[in-house]
Structure formats: structure tokens, C-alpha cells
Amino acid sequence: MTSVSSEAGAADELRRPLTATAVPPGDRGATRIADRVVAKVAGQAARQVLGRLPAEAQPPHATVAVHREVARIRMHLELDYPCDIGARCREVRQHVVERVVALVGMEVSEVAVQVERLYPAQAHGVAQGRTR
């Protein structure tokens, strides 16, 4: 009968929720988020801001360096033209910072935006070439 009561006691212990006092905060460890994860979050945030791009344009992507929980991000974009390039880059910067802070919980010290290529808007029904 002793074995039955000890098994029941063990089962009760497994069902009991863990409390914060079970493991001291210093012994719990830490979560490290890989640079590539931050880069994916930043790229997705840039895609959200830019919306639809020309068919031949590459989607935005990022390179990230993380040092002591602070991220430095370089965004690579291809944009349609004509547009307000400065305003589009500013929107990308702001949204990338907001999303990285919200989703990853990491401080962002810098977001450098590099426009790799501009795609001129094609007017429908207008022949390509030089116009006067």
C-alpha cells in the first residue's frame, strides 16, 4: 500500500504548477536570439511598410549585428520610382525599430537603409524610350 500512496504523491507533484520560487532567477539561464532571427523580423517589417513592389524587385532583406542585446541593422531595399525615397526609408526605419523591439525585445541602436536599385514606373500605353 505504501507504493500506491507514493505514486499518487508523485503524480500530484507533477500536476502542481511550478512557481517562481522553484528556481532562483540567477539559475534560470538566458535566452539568446540569433542574429538571423532579428534579420528575418526586420525584413518582414520592411515588407509590411513597402507593400507591393515591382515584379522584378527583390524583397527587402537585412543584415544584423547584435552585441550585448543591442542590434545594429542594415536594410537592403529595391524601390519603385518616382517616389519620395527619403520618406520611404524613414518609414522603413521606424517600423523596423518598432517591430524588433516588440517581437524580439531587443534595443535597436541603428537602422541603416541602403537602396540597392530603383525601378522606374512604366506608363501604360506609352512606348518605351525617350520622350520630349
Side-chain angles (χ1 to χ4, degrees):
M1 191 135 183
T2 310
S3 64
V4 173
S5 64
S6 65
E7 288 176 8
D12 288 340
E13 189 174 314
L14 290 175
R15 284 188 223 120
R16 197 173 338 147
L18 293 176
T19 61
T21 59
V23 179
D27 294 340
R28 290 185 197 153
T31 302
R32 184 183 177 315
I33 299 173
D35 296 2
R36 68 175 185 233
V37 172
V38 180
K40 287 185 179 198
V41 169
Q44 181 63 35
R47 282 190 285 284
Q48 291 171 349
V49 170
L50 295 176
R52 192 171 188 181
L53 292 173
E56 61 273 9
Q58 295 294 317
H61 64 278
T63 54
V64 175
V66 177
H67 183 68
R68 296 184 181 171
E69 301 300 315
V70 178
R72 293 179 57 200
I73 301 170
R74 178 174 296 277
M75 294 299 312
H76 303 271
L77 309 177
E78 295 184 5
L79 301 174
D80 53 343
Y81 187 80
C83 70
D84 186 349
I85 297 170
R88 302 272 317 258
C89 291
R90 185 172 37 258
E91 290 171 357
V92 167
R93 267 189 220 97
Q94 290 172 348
H95 194 65
V96 165
V97 169
E98 289 171 4
R99 297 307 292 164
V100 168
V101 168
L103 295 176
V104 182
M106 192 175 288
E107 183 182 335
V108 178
S109 65
E110 171 185 7
V111 177
V113 178
Q114 183 171 337
V115 178
E116 301 285 337
R117 176 177 275 167
L118 296 173
Y119 292 94
Q122 300 289 327
H124 297 290
V126 177
Q128 287 183 328
R130 193 170 185 174
T131 58
R132 295 181 191 208

